[in-house]
Amino acid sequence: PARIETVLEAYALLQDWPGASRNSSHAVALNACKAGIAGEIDAETVRSTFVAFARRNDILVPDMDALMPAVSTASSPSANTRT
C-alpha cells in the first residue's frame, strides 16, 4: 500500500489511475486536488473527497497506527495467560 500524505501525492495517484477504472468519485477527487493545489479549497476538503474516492474503489487501508495499541494488547503475554 502507498501512504498518501499530501495533496500532490493524491493528485499523482489520481493522474496515474487507469482510464478504464475512472468514475465520478475519481473526477470529484481529481478536481478537488487541482483546487487544493491552486489554493481554492482547504486541505481537509481535498482529503475528504480523496477518502471518498478510496472507499468507493476499495483501496482505503485502515490507519495502522490507530490499530497498534489493540494489537499490542492482544499479543501481550498477560492477555494470553490463563488463571
Side-chain angles (χ1 to χ4, degrees), residues 32-52:
C33 284
K34 289 178 187 177
I37 292 166
E40 297 169 358
I41 62 173
D42 62 285
E44 188 56 35
T45 302
V46 177
R47 181 187 178 283
S48 65
T49 60
F50 186 77
V51 167

Side-chain angles (χ1 to χ4, degrees), residues 23-35:
N23 53 34
S24 61
S25 66
H26 175 275
V28 170
L30 187 62
N31 287 335
C33 284
K34 289 178 187 177

Side-chain angles (χ1 to χ4, degrees), residues 1-77:
R3 185 176 191 115
I4 306 298
E5 296 183 344
T6 68
V7 173
L8 290 174
E9 289 173 350
Y11 180 76
L13 183 138
L14 292 165
Q15 284 291 99
D16 292 341
W17 198 253
S21 298
R22 294 181 181 191
N23 53 34
S24 61
S25 66
H26 175 275
V28 170
L30 187 62
N31 287 335
C33 284
K34 289 178 187 177
I37 292 166
E40 297 169 358
I41 62 173
D42 62 285
E44 188 56 35
T45 302
V46 177
R47 181 187 178 283
S48 65
T49 60
F50 186 77
V51 167
F53 161 80
R55 282 190 178 130
R56 179 169 179 168
N57 290 280
D58 200 27
I59 63 167
L60 185 65
V61 176
D63 183 2
M64 297 309 290
D65 293 335
L67 297 176
M68 290 309 290
V71 172
S72 298
T73 302
S75 63
S76 70

